[in-house]
Protein backbone atom coordinates (compact mmCIF):
# COMPACT_ATOMS: atom_id res chain seq x y z
CA UNK A 1 0.00 0.00 0.00
CA UNK A 2 1.19 3.50 -0.73
CA UNK A 3 0.84 6.11 2.02
CA UNK A 4 0.88 9.90 1.81
CA UNK A 5 4.40 11.23 2.40
CA UNK A 6 3.09 14.09 4.51
CA UNK A 7 0.12 12.78 6.50
CA UNK A 8 -0.70 9.13 7.24
CA UNK A 9 -3.50 8.37 4.75
CA UNK A 10 -3.30 5.22 2.66
CA UNK A 11 -3.95 5.37 -1.09
CA UNK A 12 -7.23 3.47 -0.57
CA UNK A 13 -8.68 6.13 1.77
CA UNK A 14 -12.34 6.96 1.14
CA UNK A 15 -13.87 8.81 -0.55
CA UNK A 16 -11.50 9.11 -3.49
CA UNK A 17 -8.14 10.31 -2.19
CA UNK A 18 -5.46 10.94 -4.84
CA UNK A 19 -1.69 10.86 -4.32
CA UNK A 20 0.30 13.17 -6.62
CA UNK A 21 3.74 12.67 -8.20
CA UNK A 22 5.43 13.71 -4.95
CA UNK A 23 3.40 11.15 -3.00
CA UNK A 24 1.37 13.86 -1.24
CA UNK A 25 -2.40 13.36 -0.97
CA UNK A 26 -5.21 15.56 -2.26
CA UNK A 27 -6.31 16.34 1.32
CA UNK A 28 -2.85 17.68 2.17
CA UNK A 29 -2.83 19.76 -1.03
CA UNK A 30 -6.24 21.22 -0.17
CA UNK A 31 -5.02 22.11 3.34
CA UNK A 32 -1.97 23.73 1.77
CA UNK A 33 -4.24 26.08 -0.18
CA UNK A 34 -5.87 27.43 2.99
CA UNK A 35 -3.35 30.16 3.87
CA UNK A 36 -3.74 31.71 0.40
CA UNK A 37 -7.47 32.17 0.91
CA UNK A 38 -8.56 35.63 1.99
CA UNK A 39 -11.09 34.53 4.59
CA UNK A 40 -11.79 38.11 5.66
CA UNK A 41 -13.16 38.80 2.16
CA UNK A 42 -15.54 35.85 2.48
CA UNK A 43 -17.13 36.87 5.76
CA UNK A 44 -19.16 39.71 4.18
CA UNK A 45 -20.53 37.20 1.65
CA UNK A 46 -21.84 35.07 4.48
CA UNK A 47 -23.28 38.07 6.31
CA UNK A 48 -25.07 39.28 3.20
CA UNK A 49 -26.48 35.84 2.49
CA UNK A 50 -27.75 35.42 6.06
CA UNK A 51 -29.24 38.93 6.09
CA UNK A 52 -31.07 38.24 2.83
CA UNK A 53 -32.72 35.09 4.16
CA UNK A 54 -33.43 36.68 7.53
CA UNK A 55 -35.21 39.63 5.89
CA UNK A 56 -37.31 37.32 3.70
CA UNK A 57 -38.34 35.11 6.59
CA UNK A 58 -39.24 38.03 8.82
CA UNK A 59 -41.25 39.65 6.02
CA UNK A 60 -43.28 36.41 5.90
CA UNK A 61 -43.69 36.52 9.72
CA UNK A 62 -41.94 33.17 9.84
CA UNK A 63 -40.32 32.75 13.28
CA UNK A 64 -37.28 30.96 11.86
CA UNK A 65 -34.49 32.57 9.83
CA UNK A 66 -32.70 29.31 9.10
CA UNK A 67 -32.36 25.67 10.10
CA UNK A 68 -29.27 24.30 11.82
CA UNK A 69 -28.91 20.51 11.89
CA UNK A 70 -27.48 19.61 15.31
CA UNK A 71 -26.20 16.55 17.10
CA UNK A 72 -25.08 18.43 20.19
CA UNK A 73 -21.45 17.94 19.18
CA UNK A 74 -18.76 20.59 19.28
CA UNK A 75 -19.31 21.78 15.71
CA UNK A 76 -23.07 22.15 15.95
CA UNK A 77 -22.68 23.89 19.31
CA UNK A 78 -20.27 26.33 17.71
CA UNK A 79 -22.53 26.83 14.68
CA UNK A 80 -25.52 27.73 16.84
CA UNK A 81 -23.45 30.11 18.98
CA UNK A 82 -22.05 31.78 15.84
CA UNK A 83 -25.37 32.31 14.09
CA UNK A 84 -27.21 33.30 17.25
CA UNK A 85 -24.71 35.76 18.69
CA UNK A 86 -22.63 37.07 15.80
CA UNK A 87 -25.34 37.17 13.13
CA UNK A 88 -28.44 37.65 15.26
CA UNK A 89 -30.26 34.77 13.58
CA UNK A 90 -33.26 32.90 15.00
CA UNK A 91 -32.44 29.33 14.05
CA UNK A 92 -34.66 26.29 14.31
CA UNK A 93 -32.46 23.47 15.57
CA UNK A 94 -33.19 20.10 13.97
CA UNK A 95 -31.87 16.81 15.26
CA UNK A 96 -32.19 13.17 14.30
CA UNK A 97 -32.19 10.74 17.24
CA UNK A 98 -30.55 7.50 16.13
CA UNK A 99 -31.34 6.02 19.58
CA UNK A 100 -27.83 4.62 20.20
CA UNK A 101 -27.07 7.54 22.47
CA UNK A 102 -24.32 8.14 24.97
CA UNK A 103 -24.95 9.86 28.28
CA UNK A 104 -22.44 12.57 27.45
CA UNK A 105 -24.10 13.21 24.08
CA UNK A 106 -27.49 13.71 25.71
CA UNK A 107 -25.99 16.08 28.26
CA UNK A 108 -24.28 18.12 25.54
CA UNK A 109 -27.45 18.43 23.44
CA UNK A 110 -29.42 19.45 26.52
CA UNK A 111 -26.74 21.99 27.37
CA UNK A 112 -26.82 23.41 23.82
CA UNK A 113 -30.59 23.93 23.85
CA UNK A 114 -30.48 25.52 27.31
CA UNK A 115 -27.47 27.76 26.79
CA UNK A 116 -28.49 29.00 23.36
CA UNK A 117 -32.17 29.14 24.27
CA UNK A 118 -33.32 27.73 20.94
CA UNK A 119 -36.30 25.76 19.68
CA UNK A 120 -35.43 22.19 18.76
CA UNK A 121 -37.33 19.56 16.79
CA UNK A 122 -36.04 16.03 17.10
CA UNK A 123 -37.09 12.95 15.18
CA UNK A 124 -36.65 9.73 17.14
CA UNK A 125 -36.51 6.47 15.23
CA UNK A 126 -38.10 3.40 16.75
CA UNK A 127 -35.23 1.58 18.49
CA UNK A 128 -36.21 -1.69 16.82
CA UNK A 129 -36.14 -0.05 13.39
CA UNK A 130 -32.70 1.39 14.13
CA UNK A 131 -31.37 -2.03 15.05
CA UNK A 132 -32.92 -3.75 12.01
CA UNK A 133 -31.43 -1.13 9.70
CA UNK A 134 -28.02 -1.37 11.40
CA UNK A 135 -27.91 -5.13 10.97
CA UNK A 136 -29.12 -5.06 7.36
CA UNK A 137 -26.67 -2.35 6.30
CA UNK A 138 -23.83 -4.10 8.10
CA UNK A 139 -24.12 -7.03 5.72
CA UNK A 140 -24.77 -4.85 2.71
CA UNK A 141 -22.13 -2.12 3.02
CA UNK A 142 -20.39 -2.77 6.35
CA UNK A 143 -22.03 0.18 8.09
CA UNK A 144 -24.01 -0.04 11.33
CA UNK A 145 -24.71 3.69 11.35
CA UNK A 146 -26.29 4.18 7.92
CA UNK A 147 -29.44 5.47 9.60
CA UNK A 148 -27.46 8.10 11.57
CA UNK A 149 -26.18 9.64 8.36
CA UNK A 150 -29.42 9.17 6.43
CA UNK A 151 -31.34 10.75 9.32
CA UNK A 152 -29.23 13.83 9.89
CA UNK A 153 -28.92 14.44 6.13
CA UNK A 154 -32.63 14.04 5.42
CA UNK A 155 -34.66 15.18 8.42
CA UNK A 156 -33.40 18.81 8.32
CA UNK A 157 -34.47 19.06 4.67
CA UNK A 158 -37.90 17.67 5.55
CA UNK A 159 -38.12 20.20 8.37
CA UNK A 160 -37.17 22.97 5.94
CA UNK A 161 -40.24 22.04 3.86
CA UNK A 162 -42.53 21.57 6.85
CA UNK A 163 -41.63 24.88 8.52
CA UNK A 164 -41.08 26.81 5.27
CA UNK A 165 -37.47 27.70 6.10
CA UNK A 166 -35.34 27.64 2.93
CA UNK A 167 -31.85 28.12 4.36
CA UNK A 168 -30.13 25.14 6.00
CA UNK A 169 -26.74 25.96 7.53
CA UNK A 170 -24.23 23.11 7.77
CA UNK A 171 -20.76 23.29 9.29
CA UNK A 172 -18.13 21.65 7.15
CA UNK A 173 -18.34 19.47 4.09
CA UNK A 174 -17.42 16.37 6.07
CA UNK A 175 -14.90 13.92 4.78
CA UNK A 176 -14.49 15.67 1.47
CA UNK A 177 -12.27 18.14 3.33
CA UNK A 178 -10.08 15.38 4.71
CA UNK A 179 -9.43 13.84 1.32
CA UNK A 180 -9.57 17.08 -0.67
CA UNK A 181 -12.58 16.35 -2.82
CA UNK A 182 -13.53 19.96 -3.44
CA UNK A 183 -11.70 23.23 -3.83
CA UNK A 184 -12.63 26.06 -1.47
CA UNK A 185 -13.37 28.22 -4.51
CA UNK A 186 -16.13 25.82 -5.55
CA UNK A 187 -18.40 27.10 -2.74
CA UNK A 188 -19.97 23.67 -2.86
CA UNK A 189 -23.51 23.44 -1.46
CA UNK A 190 -25.65 20.61 -0.10
CA UNK A 191 -27.24 18.36 -2.71
CA UNK A 192 -29.41 15.28 -2.61
CA UNK A 193 -26.75 13.54 -4.70
CA UNK A 194 -23.91 14.25 -2.24
CA UNK A 195 -26.12 13.03 0.59
CA UNK A 196 -26.94 9.81 -1.24
CA UNK A 197 -23.49 9.03 -2.63
CA UNK A 198 -21.38 9.75 0.41
CA UNK A 199 -23.56 9.75 3.50
CA UNK A 200 -26.02 7.03 2.47
CA UNK A 201 -23.52 4.91 0.52
CA UNK A 202 -25.53 5.18 -2.67
CA UNK A 203 -28.85 3.93 -1.27
CA UNK A 204 -32.13 5.79 -1.02
CA UNK A 205 -34.80 4.13 1.15
CA UNK A 206 -36.76 3.42 -2.06
CA UNK A 207 -33.81 1.35 -3.36
CA UNK A 208 -33.70 -0.73 -0.18
CA UNK A 209 -37.44 -1.42 -0.26
CA UNK A 210 -37.28 -2.66 -3.84
CA UNK A 211 -34.68 -5.33 -3.02
CA UNK A 212 -36.12 -8.85 -2.96
CA UNK A 213 -36.30 -10.11 0.61
CA UNK A 214 -35.41 -6.79 2.22
CA UNK A 215 -36.26 -7.16 5.92
CA UNK A 216 -36.93 -3.44 6.32
CA UNK A 217 -40.36 -1.86 6.12
CA UNK A 218 -41.56 1.51 4.93
CA UNK A 219 -42.15 2.30 8.61
CA UNK A 220 -38.49 1.53 9.46
CA UNK A 221 -37.28 3.79 6.66
CA UNK A 222 -39.88 6.55 7.02
CA UNK A 223 -37.52 9.33 8.20
CA UNK A 224 -35.13 8.93 5.25
CA UNK A 225 -37.39 9.68 2.29
CA UNK A 226 -36.21 12.89 0.65
CA UNK A 227 -38.81 15.54 -0.24
CA UNK A 228 -39.95 15.78 -3.87
CA UNK A 229 -38.30 18.16 -6.35
CA UNK A 230 -41.53 20.18 -6.37
CA UNK A 231 -41.41 20.64 -2.60
CA UNK A 232 -37.73 21.62 -2.67
CA UNK A 233 -38.44 24.13 -5.41
CA UNK A 234 -41.55 25.55 -3.76
CA UNK A 235 -39.69 26.39 -0.53
CA UNK A 236 -36.39 27.13 -2.31
CA UNK A 237 -34.36 24.91 -0.01
CA UNK A 238 -30.65 25.64 -0.05
CA UNK A 239 -27.92 24.15 2.15
CA UNK A 240 -24.67 26.08 2.68
CA UNK A 241 -21.44 25.08 4.41
CA UNK A 242 -19.88 27.58 6.82
CA UNK A 243 -16.47 26.10 6.06
CA UNK A 244 -16.59 27.84 2.67
CA UNK A 245 -16.86 31.23 4.34
CA UNK A 246 -14.59 30.99 7.36
CA UNK A 247 -11.51 29.11 8.43
CA UNK A 248 -12.98 25.96 9.92
CA UNK A 249 -10.87 24.31 12.59
CA UNK A 250 -12.76 21.75 14.67
CA UNK A 251 -10.08 21.72 17.31
CA UNK A 252 -10.38 25.47 17.90
CA UNK A 253 -14.17 25.20 18.01
CA UNK A 254 -13.85 22.47 20.62
CA UNK A 255 -11.58 24.63 22.75
CA UNK A 256 -14.03 27.51 22.45
CA UNK A 257 -17.19 25.58 23.34
CA UNK A 258 -15.47 23.86 26.27
CA UNK A 259 -14.22 27.18 27.61
CA UNK A 260 -17.28 29.35 26.95
CA UNK A 261 -20.35 27.12 26.62
CA UNK A 262 -19.95 24.27 29.09
CA UNK A 263 -19.37 21.62 26.42
CA UNK A 264 -18.32 18.34 27.97
CA UNK A 265 -15.58 16.12 26.53
CA UNK A 266 -14.75 12.45 27.08
CA UNK A 267 -12.30 11.37 29.74
CA UNK A 268 -10.67 8.76 27.52
CA UNK A 269 -11.33 6.93 24.24
CA UNK A 270 -10.63 3.42 23.11
CA UNK A 271 -9.79 4.14 19.49
CA UNK A 272 -8.46 7.69 19.35
CA UNK A 273 -6.57 10.37 21.22
CA UNK A 274 -9.26 12.94 20.39
CA UNK A 275 -11.53 13.52 23.39
CA UNK A 276 -13.93 16.05 21.88
CA UNK A 277 -15.27 14.58 18.63
CA UNK A 278 -18.15 12.17 17.87
CA UNK A 279 -19.35 11.88 21.44
CA UNK A 280 -23.08 11.46 20.93
CA UNK A 281 -23.44 7.87 19.74
CA UNK A 282 -21.94 4.71 21.14
CA UNK A 283 -20.74 3.38 17.80
CA UNK A 284 -19.26 6.38 15.96
CA UNK A 285 -15.81 6.10 17.45
CA UNK A 286 -16.30 2.42 18.21
CA UNK A 287 -17.81 -0.21 15.94
CA UNK A 288 -18.60 2.15 13.06
CA UNK A 289 -15.00 3.26 12.92
CA UNK A 290 -13.60 -0.21 13.55
CA UNK A 291 -15.52 -1.40 10.48
CA UNK A 292 -13.57 1.12 8.42
CA UNK A 293 -10.40 -0.48 9.74
CA UNK A 294 -11.69 -3.98 8.94
CA UNK A 295 -12.56 -2.91 5.41
CA UNK A 296 -9.72 -0.55 4.47
CA UNK A 297 -7.07 -0.95 7.16
CA UNK A 298 -7.30 2.48 8.75
CA UNK A 299 -9.56 4.19 11.30
CA UNK A 300 -10.50 7.54 12.75
CA UNK A 301 -7.15 7.97 14.43
CA UNK A 302 -5.65 8.14 10.93
CA UNK A 303 -8.20 10.83 10.02
CA UNK A 304 -7.49 12.88 13.12
CA UNK A 305 -3.73 12.50 12.98
CA UNK A 306 -3.75 13.63 9.35
CA UNK A 307 -5.81 16.66 10.29
CA UNK A 308 -3.34 17.62 13.05
CA UNK A 309 -0.26 17.08 10.85
CA UNK A 310 -1.71 19.39 8.19
CA UNK A 311 -2.32 22.04 10.83
CA UNK A 312 1.30 21.82 11.96
CA UNK A 313 0.32 20.58 15.40
CA UNK A 314 1.81 17.10 15.14
CA UNK A 315 4.71 15.45 13.33
CA UNK A 316 4.17 12.50 11.01
CA UNK A 317 6.21 10.34 13.38
CA UNK A 318 4.05 11.25 16.41
CA UNK A 319 1.01 10.52 14.27
CA UNK A 320 2.27 7.11 13.21
CA UNK A 321 2.83 6.18 16.86
CA UNK A 322 -0.79 7.08 17.62
CA UNK A 323 -2.13 5.17 14.61
CA UNK A 324 -0.12 2.12 15.68
CA UNK A 325 -1.62 2.41 19.15
CA UNK A 326 -5.28 2.96 18.23
CA UNK A 327 -6.43 2.01 14.72
CA UNK A 328 -6.58 -1.79 15.22
CA UNK A 329 -8.25 -1.79 18.67
CA UNK A 330 -11.46 -3.84 18.93
CA UNK A 331 -14.00 -1.54 20.60
CA UNK A 332 -16.08 -2.66 23.58
CA UNK A 333 -19.35 -1.30 22.09
CA UNK A 334 -19.07 -4.10 19.54
CA UNK A 335 -20.23 -6.46 22.28
CA UNK A 336 -23.29 -4.26 22.86
CA UNK A 337 -24.14 -4.42 19.18
CA UNK A 338 -23.61 -8.19 18.92
CA UNK A 339 -25.74 -8.78 22.00
CA UNK A 340 -28.56 -6.48 20.87
CA UNK A 341 -28.64 -7.95 17.37
CA UNK A 342 -28.16 -11.56 18.47
CA UNK A 343 -24.98 -12.19 16.48
CA UNK A 344 -21.72 -13.98 17.28
CA UNK A 345 -18.23 -12.70 16.45
CA UNK A 346 -17.92 -15.33 13.72
CA UNK A 347 -21.24 -14.38 12.12
CA UNK A 348 -20.16 -10.75 12.19
CA UNK A 349 -16.82 -11.55 10.61
CA UNK A 350 -18.38 -13.68 7.89
CA UNK A 351 -20.95 -10.99 7.15
CA UNK A 352 -18.31 -8.39 6.30
CA UNK A 353 -15.66 -10.68 4.77
CA UNK A 354 -16.63 -9.66 1.22
CA UNK A 355 -16.10 -5.99 2.07
CA UNK A 356 -12.43 -6.27 3.06
CA UNK A 357 -10.11 -4.53 0.61
CA UNK A 358 -8.19 -7.39 -1.08
CA UNK A 359 -5.24 -5.08 -1.71
CA UNK A 360 -4.67 -4.97 2.06
CA UNK A 361 -6.25 -7.99 3.75
CA UNK A 362 -5.36 -11.66 3.33
CA UNK A 363 -6.93 -14.67 5.01
CA UNK A 364 -4.05 -16.84 6.17
CA UNK A 365 -6.20 -19.48 7.79
CA UNK A 366 -9.93 -19.97 8.33
CA UNK A 367 -11.17 -17.04 10.37
CA UNK A 368 -7.78 -15.33 10.52
CA UNK A 369 -7.43 -12.08 8.64
CA UNK A 370 -4.12 -10.24 8.45
CA UNK A 371 -3.37 -6.72 7.22
CA UNK A 372 -0.44 -6.91 4.84
CA UNK A 373 0.67 -3.33 5.39
CA UNK A 374 0.40 -0.29 7.68
CA UNK A 375 1.74 3.24 7.69
CA UNK A 376 4.02 2.01 10.47
CA UNK A 377 6.09 0.34 7.75
CA UNK A 378 6.43 3.63 5.90
CA UNK A 379 8.04 5.94 8.44
CA UNK A 380 11.17 6.48 6.38
CA UNK A 381 9.84 6.25 2.83
CA UNK A 382 11.75 8.30 0.24
CA UNK A 383 10.10 11.69 -0.11
CA UNK A 384 8.93 12.02 3.50
CA UNK A 385 11.50 14.69 4.38
CA UNK A 386 10.79 16.67 1.21
CA UNK A 387 7.04 16.67 1.97
CA UNK A 388 7.43 17.68 5.63
CA UNK A 389 5.69 20.86 6.83
CA UNK A 390 7.16 23.25 9.37
CA UNK A 391 5.61 22.90 12.81
CA UNK A 392 4.39 26.31 13.96
CA UNK A 393 2.38 25.10 16.94
CA UNK A 394 3.56 22.91 19.80
CA UNK A 395 1.58 19.76 20.46
CA UNK A 396 -1.06 20.39 23.09
CA UNK A 397 -3.04 18.30 25.45
CA UNK A 398 -6.19 17.07 23.71
CA UNK A 399 -8.79 18.58 26.00
CA UNK A 400 -9.83 17.19 29.31
CA UNK A 401 -13.34 17.47 30.68
CA UNK A 402 -14.08 21.07 31.49
CA UNK A 403 -17.61 20.90 32.78
CA UNK A 404 -20.60 18.69 33.31
CA UNK A 405 -24.02 19.91 32.35
CA UNK A 406 -25.70 17.81 35.03
CA UNK A 407 -26.04 14.22 36.22
CA UNK A 408 -29.23 13.58 34.30
CA UNK A 409 -28.24 10.61 32.18
CA UNK A 410 -25.44 8.34 33.23
CA UNK A 411 -26.03 5.21 31.16
CA UNK A 412 -25.06 4.65 27.55
CA UNK A 413 -27.38 2.69 25.28
CA UNK A 414 -30.80 3.19 23.82
CA UNK A 415 -32.21 6.50 24.99
CA UNK A 416 -35.31 7.98 23.48
CA UNK A 417 -35.66 10.86 25.92
CA UNK A 418 -33.18 13.65 25.64
CA UNK A 419 -34.03 16.57 27.84
CA UNK A 420 -35.35 17.27 31.33
CA UNK A 421 -35.87 20.92 32.01
ZN1 LIG B 1 -1.70 13.59 3.02
Amino acid sequence: MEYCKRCVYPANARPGIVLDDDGVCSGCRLAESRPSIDWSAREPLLRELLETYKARQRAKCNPYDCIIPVSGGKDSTYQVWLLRTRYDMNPLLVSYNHTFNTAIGIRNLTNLVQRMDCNLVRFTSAPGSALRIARHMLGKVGDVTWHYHAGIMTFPIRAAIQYDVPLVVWGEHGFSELVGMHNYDDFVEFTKKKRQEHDMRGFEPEDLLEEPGCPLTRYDLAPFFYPSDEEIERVGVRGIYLSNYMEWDGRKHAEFVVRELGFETAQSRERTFNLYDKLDDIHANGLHDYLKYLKFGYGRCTDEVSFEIRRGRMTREEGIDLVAHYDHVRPSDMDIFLRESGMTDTEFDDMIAHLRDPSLWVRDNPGGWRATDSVVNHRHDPGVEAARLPRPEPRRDYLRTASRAGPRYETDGVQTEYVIL
Side-chain angles (χ1 to χ4, degrees), residues 4-9 17 19 24-28 306 310:
C4 177
K5 301 282 196 283
R6 179 174 295 165
C7 69
V8 293
Y9 268 122
I17 206 163
L19 300 186
V24 175
C25 78
S26 40
C28 282
S306 297
R310 293 168 186 168

Side-chain angles (χ1 to χ4, degrees), residues 204-256:
E204 291 288 347
E206 294 92 327
D207 304 328
L208 297 175
L209 283 177
E210 281 175 9
E211 288 170 2
C214 175
L216 307 176
T217 65
R218 189 167 286 276
Y219 187 90
D220 293 330
L221 296 167
F224 316 122
F225 289 88
Y226 203 73
S228 68
D229 291 347
E230 291 72 29
E231 288 173 306
I232 296 286
E233 201 167 317
R234 174 172 53 78
V235 174
V237 178
R238 174 184 183 189
I240 63 163
Y241 294 95
L242 290 173
S243 59
N244 285 323
Y245 297 92
M246 54 189 291
E247 180 141 33
W248 196 262
D249 184 344
R251 165 83 172 278
K252 290 193 170 146
H253 297 166
E255 290 172 343
F256 176 83

Side-chain angles (χ1 to χ4, degrees), residues 107-124:
R107 289 197 293 267
N108 275 334
L109 181 59
T110 304
N111 178 59
L112 167 62
V113 172
Q114 287 180 328
R115 290 263 185 155
M116 291 290 105
D117 200 22
C118 286
N119 288 354
L120 166 75
V121 287
R122 183 149 158 98
F123 186 97
T124 297

Side-chain angles (χ1 to χ4, degrees), residues 265-304:
T265 66
Q267 298 282 356
S268 65
R269 313 301 285 275
E270 288 179 318
R271 291 186 41 78
T272 183
F273 59 94
N274 175 329
L275 299 177
Y276 54 79
D277 225 348
K278 305 287 175 194
L279 296 167
D280 70 295
D281 62 74
I282 55 175
H283 297 313
N285 257 322
L287 180 55
H288 171 66
D289 189 52
Y290 185 53
L291 278 161
K292 185 162 77 174
Y293 174 75
L294 296 179
K295 289 186 284 185
F296 305 115
Y298 73 99
R300 185 175 297 282
C301 188
T302 289
D303 298 323
E304 288 166 348

Side-chain angles (χ1 to χ4, degrees), residues 44 58 65 76 92-93 143 201 207 216 313 336 389 420:
R58 295 186 184 186
D65 301 327
S76 48
L92 174 63
L93 311 190
D143 186 356
R201 300 183 183 272
D207 304 328
L216 307 176
R313 296 191 287 239
I336 299 175
L389 288 176
I420 296 175

Side-chain angles (χ1 to χ4, degrees), residues 110-210:
T110 304
N111 178 59
L112 167 62
V113 172
Q114 287 180 328
R115 290 263 185 155
M116 291 290 105
D117 200 22
C118 286
N119 288 354
L120 166 75
V121 287
R122 183 149 158 98
F123 186 97
T124 297
S125 268
S129 294
L131 200 57
R132 274 190 294 281
I133 295 168
R135 185 171 170 144
H136 183 62
M137 296 311 279
L138 170 66
K140 196 169 179 59
V141 290
D143 186 356
V144 293
T145 60
W146 180 87
H147 69 293
Y148 297 12
H149 310 299
I152 196 56
M153 292 296 156
T154 307
F155 185 53
I157 309 301
R158 293 172 62 116
I161 304 290
Q162 184 180 345
Y163 293 92
D164 191 23
V165 184
L167 185 64
V168 182
V169 181
W170 304 89
E172 64 179 337
H173 197 252
F175 275 88
S176 68
E177 301 233 342
L178 280 174
V179 298
M181 189 184 293
H182 295 286
N183 191 294
Y184 289 113
D185 290 330
D186 294 342
F187 282 89
V188 61
E189 299 200 350
F190 180 92
T191 62
K192 180 184 180 186
K193 186 162 172 275
K194 179 263 174 195
R195 154 190 160 278
Q196 185 201 348
E197 284 183 0
H198 302 303
D199 302 299
M200 296 165 69
R201 300 183 183 272
F203 296 100
E204 291 288 347
E206 294 92 327
D207 304 328
L208 297 175
L209 283 177
E210 281 175 9

